[in-house]
Amino acid sequence: MYLRDEPGTHPPLDSPGYKSTALRHPSQRPVLLPQKLTEITGPLLGEGRLSPNDNDLTAQHAGEPQGQRIIVHGRLLEGDGKPVANSLVEIWQANAGGRYNHVRDRWPSPVDPNFDGVGRTLTDAEGRYTFTTIKPGAYPWQNHDNAWRPAHIHFSVFGRSFTQRLVTQMYFPDDPLFGQDPIFNSVPDPAARARMISSFDMSRTVPNWALAYSFDIVVRGRDATPFEEEVDDE
Amino acid sequence: MTTPSQTVGPFLSIGLPWPDGPTVVPEGTAGAIRIVGTVYDGAGQPVPDALIETWQADPDGHFDHPDDPSGPLRKDFRAFGRCPTESDGTYWILTLPPGAIPGQAPHIDVSVFARGLLNRVVTRIYLADDPADPVLSSVDPARRHTLIAQPTDHGYRFDIRLQGENETVFFDV
């Protein structure tokens, strides 16, 4: 059995400040699904998903991308601190000017021909991952008057079970745009919001080369306390 | 103390899809079925920036995972499917029909991610109605049809309605 998340951890699907939720949030309450074999298992996506330079977004082209080079590293953990090993971590992000390499991103900031903004890696035995990338820029969007997204990197993690699957965004410390961003602020619990903000990490900077940020991702852990017996799968 | 969920945003398609994502089994695999569907919003409009992920047992009812002690899995069967929606809101998965698991009818777990969805929503695809299935029987009979895929010439159709009339049943896992 995997622990269910505490109230306030995740944003309500109906978050009026983020206008795109209006027509996309289910109006019916979700039906409680007992965690059976389907839910306590999940895809284990290994080496076959990775190519060279997948975790170095600055080395995927002949030239280097524009921007501040950064190391982003951290651990994939369960709630009790247990590492999640050999698990696929995927990221995507805007370039240094805040522009995504996507045909539908029309904001007038240049596309960087040396930056796709896409990375993948596997966590090691201690749950650690590392990416080399550039710091993404903030960008305007149409949600409200003069709306700007704080700089962020999208993260997708699988964990080891269907119940641990998580997509989130990593933010940067002391971003002046946090206060007006309805996506960041859609998370009700301030302590939970803080868990999306990376830490500047001097110890992992590379001299004369890259700054560094640390970002641990915590997914649900297994329930350690024996519950009264669930109906068995077998 | 888990990390909160956030939306995949409008540009999920630069980072999440894989070229072979929709093919849980290679094209041409004997017995493979194609599941096709459209994701709709509350106004009945197709959702062009969503991503579907599927997870299922193999035709013998085994999961490709160490927590399933039931036996070996088929070769060439990834068990996991992933497909972004096209501009017309459609997705597809080529897979083998899942087998029954003791106490449960054959089913596929589904995650839906999209711009405007701050957390994934989870549903299940059943290939047939089976009132004996404990999950189906826990769902309001008037809404149960939203979990049943409709047979087509090449497999099945499974539409997902995020909101409104005939809203798909979503689960809290």
Side-chain angles (χ1 to χ4, degrees):
Chain A
M1 287 289 292
Y2 285 83
L3 291 167
R4 291 180 192 265
D5 294 310
E6 289 176 26
T9 299
H10 297 300
L13 294 176
D14 182 10
S15 289
Y18 173 26
K19 288 183 179 169
S20 297
T21 66
L23 287 171
R24 295 186 171 188
H25 71 269
S27 56
Q28 304 282 330
R29 284 178 64 84
V31 176
L32 190 67
L33 184 65
Q35 293 175 0
K36 299 291 193 179
L37 205 48
T38 319
E39 290 75 37
I40 66 167
T41 57
L44 304 176
L45 302 156
E47 308 284 345
R49 287 290 125 201
L50 300 177
S51 310
N53 293 334
D54 270 3
N55 73 336
D56 185 348
L57 287 72
T58 69
Q60 296 172 351
H61 293 271
E64 286 226 37
Q66 297 287 324
Q68 173 69 64
R69 200 182 292 109
I70 60 173
I71 310 291
V72 176
H73 74 98
R75 299 178 78 195
L76 181 59
L77 302 167
E78 296 188 348
D80 58 1
K82 187 178 165 210
V84 183
N86 303 314
S87 187
L88 186 67
V89 180
E90 297 173 296
I91 64 170
W92 68 105
Q93 64 171 93
N95 69 24
R99 173 103 180 228
Y100 285 90
N101 186 12
H102 191 287
V103 289
R104 293 214 336 271
D105 189 351
R106 302 255 170 79
W107 116 260
S109 177
V111 170
D112 186 335
N114 290 316
F115 192 70
D116 293 334
V118 175
R120 297 200 166 97
T121 194
L122 287 178
T123 58
D124 70 10
E126 280 77 48
R128 291 183 299 232
Y129 73 86
T130 303
F131 290 103
T132 302
T133 183
I134 51 95
K135 189 172 180 190
Y139 57 84
W141 61 312
Q142 304 302 315
N143 187 73
H144 55 276
D145 184 44
N146 198 19
W148 293 78
R149 287 303 325 282
H152 62 276
I153 297 176
H154 294 268
F155 270 76
S156 163
V157 298
F158 285 88
R160 292 182 60 80
S161 75
F162 186 78
T163 58
Q164 289 183 323
R165 182 83 178 88
L166 179 71
V167 168
T168 189
Q169 297 179 20
M170 183 201 102
Y171 297 92
F172 291 85
D174 304 322
D175 195 312
L177 294 167
F178 284 149
Q180 58 84 63
D181 183 53
I183 293 182
F184 175 76
N185 290 299
S186 64
V187 175
D189 177 6
R193 285 203 292 277
R195 292 198 287 275
M196 299 188 292
I197 305 174
S198 58
S199 304
F200 178 68
D201 184 0
M202 195 68 196
S203 73
R204 286 291 296 270
T205 56
V206 179
N208 305 316
W209 183 254
L211 296 177
Y213 292 87
S214 158
F215 180 57
D216 289 345
I217 303 166
V218 183
V219 293
R220 288 190 227 182
R222 288 192 186 241
D223 197 329
T225 45
F227 264 65
E228 55 183 293
E229 203 59 29
E230 286 277 312
V231 180
D232 210 69
D233 278 308
E234 300 304 319
Chain B
M1 304 299 271
T2 53
T3 304
S5 171
Q6 295 273 269
T7 175
V8 291
F11 306 123
L12 65 101
S13 61
I14 75 166
L16 282 174
W18 302 328
D20 64 345
T23 51
V24 179
V25 290
E27 296 275 1
T29 300
I33 55 170
R34 192 175 297 266
I35 299 173
V36 179
T38 306
V39 182
Y40 294 102
D41 71 11
Q45 295 300 306
V47 177
D49 42 19
L51 178 94
I52 303 302
E53 289 182 349
T54 62
W55 172 245
Q56 63 172 100
D58 77 1
D60 302 315
H62 302 318
F63 287 96
D64 186 11
H65 194 281
D67 283 349
D68 181 358
S70 67
L73 196 85
R74 300 219 172 179
K75 296 265 189 273
D76 279 342
F77 180 73
R78 194 173 57 223
F80 175 72
R82 174 186 248 195
C83 188
T85 56
E86 298 286 338
S87 55
D88 62 357
T90 61
Y91 73 93
W92 61 277
I93 298 287
L94 184 74
T95 188
L96 292 171
I101 303 159
Q104 291 191 83
H107 64 272
I108 299 173
D109 268 12
V110 179
S111 299
V112 183
F113 303 85
R115 175 180 68 85
L117 268 182
L118 283 161
N119 199 348
R120 67 167 173 168
V121 289
V122 167
T123 187
R124 277 187 169 193
I125 298 173
Y126 284 85
L127 300 186
D129 199 355
D130 181 351
D133 181 88
V135 173
L136 280 177
S137 64
S138 75
V139 170
D140 176 357
R143 302 185 63 209
R144 209 171 288 167
H145 68 98
T146 69
L147 300 174
I148 315 298
Q150 300 305 309
T152 65
D153 288 346
H154 305 289
Y156 292 87
R157 166 160 283 274
F158 186 78
D159 291 335
I160 295 168
R161 291 179 170 79
L162 293 173
Q163 187 188 84
E165 194 175 352
N166 291 314
E167 181 176 303
T168 300
V169 170
F170 297 106
F171 293 103
D172 177 3
V173 292

